[in-house]
Amino acid sequence: MNTTPGTTTQPSAVEKILAFVDERVGLKAMQAKMLNEPVPGGSRWAYVFGSVLLFIFIMQAVTGILLMFYYVPTADHAYASTQYIIHEVDYGWFLLSYHFWGSTAMVVCVFAHMSQVFLWGAYKKPRELIWLVGLALFGIVMGFGFTGYLLPWDQRAYWATTVGVEIMDKTPVVGDFMARFLKGGPTPGQMTLSRFFVIHVMILPAALMGLAGLHLFLFRAAGPAGPFRGSPEELKAKTDYFFPRQIWKDIVAMATVFASICILAFWEPVVLLEEATPDPGDYHPEPEWYFLFLFQLLRLKIFSGEFGQFLGAIALPGAFMALLAALPFIDRDPERNIFKRPIALIGWIVVMASILIFTVSAIINREFLD
Amino acid sequence: MSNTKLALAVLWPAFWTGLPIKLALTLLFLALGMMKLEALFGVAFLLLLSSPVTVLAMPFLIGLFDLHLSEGAGLSLVFLFSIPIDMWAVGLSARTVFIERLQLEPQDGMAVQLWGKIAVVGGACVVALWAVEGFVTGLAKSVAHAVLEMELLKALPVAERISLELTLWGSVSTITLVVLLVLSLWAVGAVIQMQARQARPLAESYQKLVHRWDLMRVPADQGLILTAFTGAGVVMTLLFWSGLPSTTPHPHETYQQPVAKVAPVLKPVEVLNKSERVLTQAESAVEALEKKKAEESSQSKKASKGKPGPKESSAATATDAPVAKTAVSASPSLKQ
Amino acid sequence: MQPKLKSKVRAADRDVGEVTRVIMDPLSHDISHIVVSLNGAGERQVPMGYVQAVTEDLVQLRPPSSEVEALPPFKRDDYVTTHEVEIAHLEEKIHVTPGEVLVPLPDLEKSVKRRTFFANMTHAIGFLIGLPLVFPVLRYLMKPMYAPFDNGWLKIGNVGKIKSEDIGVQYKYKKQVKEAYMPEQEIDKNVWVLKATPAVLDKIYQGKDMEFRDPIGNTIWVNKKDVPYVAFSGKCPHLGCGYKWRTHKLLGQVFLCPCHLSIYDASGKVLDGPAPRPLDPLPIRVSAGGDIQIIDMEFKAGTKAQVRIV
């Protein structure tokens, strides 16, 4: 990293160690290749979301591991151990609340990252594979949210999961098998908790790390897309390397996200409902906020009945995801300027607005449930 | 460059530049218990984010519109700290725009001057925006509600009604907001233009201009800035640690916190002396009883059948229950 | 110096062509052959042994051109480029291209001060993100490690069970234990109680009352040296096994630990075996009715000093 001009003084111990490693591993060359990536048009704040997502994942892994020191995934002690963390372990409430709000931050940043890539047209050739791997990562992030939600085993957790898995059951052909696989039986219980735990703690993290690595590799292979407008002279004048400027912006964004999650943890620390029971009582099941729009969609009359539920829960979201996956192959126009891609721009606005409207509707709908 | 574009070019980076520092302060005050955020968390965030223009508007928003964002002095302190932070952020952002986009030489003292003008004009715009937006939204909501009450739509089920009503007043509200924002930006932009007109043009190449604003961000004395920054961060962290509550500020209503067993204050010498007295009393009582028993057994033919000593003395103790009991009960409240 | 690509090749008598390719030995990482294009008349693979001298743009061969032309023709299919194989550190040894291939350094990257400033600020911010977590995380992990002691009195039985003096009598009792969020559980414990004669009592107390203190220094209890009843913790101070009262061939009636054969006399003193310290006495009090109460304590096994852990 140091580009200080060569002096004739003796190398320090650190320099000697670095030289030793460099001779064997090619450290300097590797470092240069990793860090000195020119970003056309210069580093931008708009590009920080990928790195921020990586940061959030690392924080979730760290807080998650810490939670595992006290949490036990058994139906008889999951609730008690979670309450123990919140009430008795020093700063347990803070770490658990951080983990909880961190998952919200992850979903928000995933939407931001996908939107940025979409609006910048960075899914087009030669970046189709990065986009596809990214969609898989999106699915994994949603999976994390869904599986993690069950673990505290309170009423909210239990019933949100029950309803969610029932919805997945509506998938044609494989639905029943999938639902039984996830539940570990015909109804939710200890088997469900064990499966959700191992998926949340082992399978999804491994999948995420593998795919994220692939995502980064493919990104490097294709090079950063850069801004969608600007004369070559402008782009050249502003070009700088990934390190230090983009990394600097990334870390400031990470600090901002870190502070925001901590603030959220203070504003609304995790408070559990009563322990899960087979009788929902007065409680109205509801999924996490980022699934609320789907949840509300399914309340519309057009999606009533078995076929309607299938349409709203499986067919429509499935078709939308398929559209996203097909996007780089349908949209072959090399134009990347969003202001010259009216369909893309309007499409994005419509999708975001719809998600927002249905999410808020779900919140309003709560008052009408009693 | 148009007024709105100019305002956006200066304000957008200025907002985000100041935010990380304001967030760090907010977090510190939360940990120290000086701030309790209320339900309007999102609004608080947005106001904090846009703080060059909201700082002077805050008292009006709280006073005129009864805006209640938090308990405690913390939030007000953050807005107070925002003043120097924003002066720096606006200065940095404006100078960059002047150099690169307008190709003008930024003047000395521009940061504070611009901050002042933006705060006043922006503040007025925010108050006006709040009033108008509030009014329009209220109106739109009641109109939407009335529309939904129409005979034509009576048959519509609940979920559809909710979404339809929300879309109706939501779109009106959003469009109004966008229009008001554009107008506000135009006003702030005009203020910045006035400042720009006083600046003299630069005649350097584009590359040189970019180079200049880029290097503007590198301080002359790096070591000082770095040490001061890290030092301040460490101090804030230490304060954070001192204030962070170790158990949840929102405990569950039915959770039984473990009762901390307070060890009763022992005065051991006193206790032992008392115990000794009890023992010697009991011993002498036992002796007396044994004597009595010996006398009785020498008289009576039916002697106890050679049972071992302890049993005899315990039997004796049992019969002389009142003595023993008072002796035992006299021992202090060590028994828990 | 390594022969450069596109260099002229001269045999002893005349110019024969130019270097079109260079072949490296994968084991020694040295150049083994150069491939010379004979001015359009095919390519020959020339071993480096033929080379007399190498300059920047000329390779001088020792043999005459006829010998060079007599070499077997070059078979490209027998070779792959260095990009198609993975031979560690091979690329570092290749210096056969004349000149350099360059990419412009972006104008903004030319300032070293800028680079170091942003590098250092990045490190500073990274440090400040991690720092606030250190203290809470450490405290979080350490929560159960130094749990406060329970100094409650437990009734374990009655002295009526003890028939003779200086004989170890085992008292088994149950203790209620609540660990974190687990429901309360009953565990079986035992202590050995001795009714000691004054001689044995003196060996245990050494003329001083035995004080039990809490970590701060306040006294929890004092065992008076003239109270004849002594309770020893049921765990052997060697490694925590449960020990017994037995008759030994040579040493008489002793406490004997079956795990590693530590032997203690009635006063708890170590007679034989690996025990690092004598048996641990516990706070004891006997009511007027003969009910024995103890404070259950456990001490670290295997150390000379007595360190309370429970």
Side-chain angles (χ1 to χ4, degrees), chain A residues 241-269:
Chain A
Y241 284 157
F242 177 59
F243 177 85
R245 263 313 204 100
Q246 185 64 53
I247 292 186
W248 155 254
K249 292 188 168 131
D250 288 346
I251 217 165
V252 171
M254 289 180 203
T256 307
V257 166
F258 177 75
S260 304
I261 299 175
C262 289
I263 290 174
L264 283 166
F266 272 99
W267 173 61
E268 277 260 333

Side-chain angles (χ1 to χ4, degrees), chain B residues 211 214 219 222 241 266 334, chain C residues 107 113-114 131-132 220 285:
Chain B
H211 197 96
D214 187 76
Q222 288 188 28
W241 288 347
L266 280 173
L334 276 177
Chain C
D107 193 73
K113 276 191 346 187
R114 171 194 190 268
L131 189 66
I220 303 168
R285 66 180 185 197

Side-chain angles (χ1 to χ4, degrees), chain A residues 42-52 109 112-117 119-120 226-228 246 249-250 253, chain B residues 12:
Chain A
S43 53
R44 284 263 170 114
W45 292 99
Y47 307 151
V48 299
F49 291 106
S51 302
V52 165
C109 288
H113 182 59
M114 281 171 69
S115 297
Q116 187 262 314
V117 170
L119 292 172
W120 260 250
F228 48 72
Q246 185 64 53
K249 292 188 168 131
D250 288 346
Chain B
W12 178 254

Side-chain angles (χ1 to χ4, degrees), chain B residues 114-134:
Chain B
L114 256 184
W115 177 88
K117 293 180 191 164
I118 290 176
V120 170
V121 173
C125 287
V126 166
V127 177
L129 191 150
W130 199 276
V132 174
E133 179 68 20

Side-chain angles (χ1 to χ4, degrees), chain B residues 207 210-211 214-215 217-219 222 226 229-230 233-234 237 241 244 261 266 268 271-272 276 328 334-336, chain C residues 107-108 111 113-114 116-117 120-121 124-125 128 131-132 135-136 150 152-153 219-222 224 285 288:
Chain B
Q207 177 73 81
V210 168
H211 197 96
D214 187 76
L215 277 186
R217 283 146 169 75
V218 180
Q222 288 188 28
L226 211 58
F229 179 76
T230 312
V234 171
T237 305
W241 288 347
L244 186 65
K261 281 194 194 157
L266 280 173
V271 158
L272 288 164
E276 265 192 58
V328 164
L334 276 177
K335 297 185 186 170
Q336 289 159 0
Chain C
D107 193 73
L108 292 175
S111 163
K113 276 191 346 187
R114 171 194 190 268
T116 47
F117 174 68
N120 289 329
M121 278 302 275
I125 294 197
L128 288 174
L131 189 66
F135 175 71
D150 175 12
W153 288 97
T219 309
I220 303 168
W221 179 254
V222 178
K224 285 283 196 181
R285 66 180 185 197

